[in-house]
Amino acid sequence: MFADLHLHSVFSDGTFTPEQLVQEGRQRGLAVLALTDHDTMEGCARLAAACAACGMECIPGTELTAELDGAEIHILGYFLQADDPQLRAEMGKFQNVRQDRIREMVSRLNGLGIPLDAEAVFKLANCRSPGRPHVGRALVEAGFCASQEEAFERFLKRNRPAWVPKFRMSAVDTIQLIHRAGGVAVLAHPGLNRSDDIIVPLVEAGLDGIECYHSRHSPATSEHYVQLAEQHELLVTGGSDCHGFNKGRPLIGTIKLPYSHVAEMRTVANQRRSRLRMAEV
Ligand code: AMP
Ligand code: ZN
Ligand code: FE
Ligand code: FE
């Protein structure tokens, strides 16, 4: 039994609906899926229903943007209680900030003589958690760029003219937020970060796991993070980071995490929840 624990849907910047993710995942022999949309869990109930209908397991999750020592990192939360009031409030704030950021990016594009309309981006995004890929798609649709790659290269990448930094919570607060919502906190795609120096401070802040397997990690990179995870007694996770079709085929299922890792994650989540319940009484 295998899992893909990093998937985006139409509720953020992915192009598959939760139902399509389940269909694609099933075709690729996956038994467990986790939805990790940026700053939202709105798609989790639909993923759960679609998984249940075909005997698959699903883990509710999200991907949050955090900061440590000035660097942007992504932290995945798994087994989260989607109705946790604080988590809902924080995700709502992130979504508002994302919408303001779209307006700012569009206004910078306008300043460059590109008459894109923010409403066109919102209409295309059709979700509460819009991001740069939506601006890229809008630029392509309106004929200002030939491809999403060109849109990022010319305008949207870090330090390009329409790039606007994203609001990020401190990594310590992010991990605490995930823990208080009964979840497990995992450092996403560490191989894409500038350095591993952040790992020890994250462990001190309560990090539970590392996404050792990711579609942009080489086998050597994955092995390196498996060793780091062992050294710090952290969970090992993995996911494709599928956003829909990528050069003709979706990434879902390109990472197949053995089920034993899911079982270990669940044990940690269950322990956290019983501790939370004990603290309540
Ligand atoms: P945002 O959360 O708005 O900053 O957008 C981040 C998302 O943009 C990532 O999750 C990727 O899906 C996508 N992305 C980031 N860099 C690139 C790039 N160079 N080309 C295409 N997509 C990218
Ligand atoms: Zn994304
Ligand atoms: Fe990410
Ligand atoms: Fe992601």
Side-chain angles (χ1 to χ4, degrees), residues 39-205:
D39 303 328
T40 181
M41 293 183 69
E42 289 163 283
C44 291
R46 274 173 56 181
L47 189 86
C51 277
C54 61
M56 287 168 70
E57 254 182 70
C58 110
I59 302 175
T62 187
E63 180 172 21
L64 301 174
T65 308
E67 168 171 336
L68 192 75
D69 296 335
E72 175 174 321
I73 56 171
H74 294 178
I75 298 185
L76 298 158
Y78 292 111
F79 295 103
L80 292 161
Q81 288 165 326
D83 59 353
D84 178 82
Q86 201 193 349
L87 180 64
R88 284 175 68 110
E90 291 300 330
M91 287 194 301
K93 273 192 236 166
F94 284 132
Q95 292 161 17
N96 289 336
V97 170
R98 277 181 171 274
Q99 291 162 23
D100 291 343
R101 179 171 173 246
I102 298 286
R103 289 187 194 94
E104 177 63 24
M105 284 194 276
V106 168
S107 122
R108 291 193 191 188
L109 286 166
N110 294 161
L112 297 164
I114 294 171
L116 194 72
D117 183 0
E119 286 315 311
V121 180
F122 290 131
K123 192 162 169 243
L124 175 150
N126 190 30
C127 71
R128 293 200 180 100
S129 247
R132 284 182 291 163
H134 297 117
V135 180
R137 281 178 221 157
L139 283 168
V140 174
E141 267 193 19
F144 297 115
C145 292
S147 66
Q148 178 87 319
E149 288 73 40
E150 186 192 319
F152 269 86
E153 218 34 69
R154 278 173 63 195
F155 303 115
L156 303 173
K157 259 170 68 165
R158 187 183 165 81
N159 297 330
R160 292 291 193 270
W163 177 71
V164 177
K166 191 161 54 170
F167 169 77
R168 39 206 204 191
M169 208 163 40
S170 83
V172 173
D173 290 346
T174 305
I175 292 171
Q176 205 171 75
L177 180 69
I178 290 170
H179 285 179
R180 287 189 179 151
V184 167
V186 172
L187 177 63
H189 43 64
L192 309 187
N193 294 340
R194 254 170 286 166
S195 121
D196 288 342
D197 292 349
I198 53 165
I199 292 187
V200 168
L202 287 173
V203 172
E204 284 165 1

Side-chain angles (χ1 to χ4, degrees), residues 6 8 38 63 241 243:
H6 193 151
H8 296 271
H38 302 282
E63 180 172 21
D241 213 348
H243 282 79

Side-chain angles (χ1 to χ4, degrees), residues 211-229:
E211 187 179 51
C212 299
Y213 303 102
H214 182 272
S215 49
R216 289 174 66 194
H217 284 178
S218 69
T221 300
S222 303
E223 186 46 40
H224 168 71
Y225 287 108
V226 168
Q227 279 175 16
L228 272 183

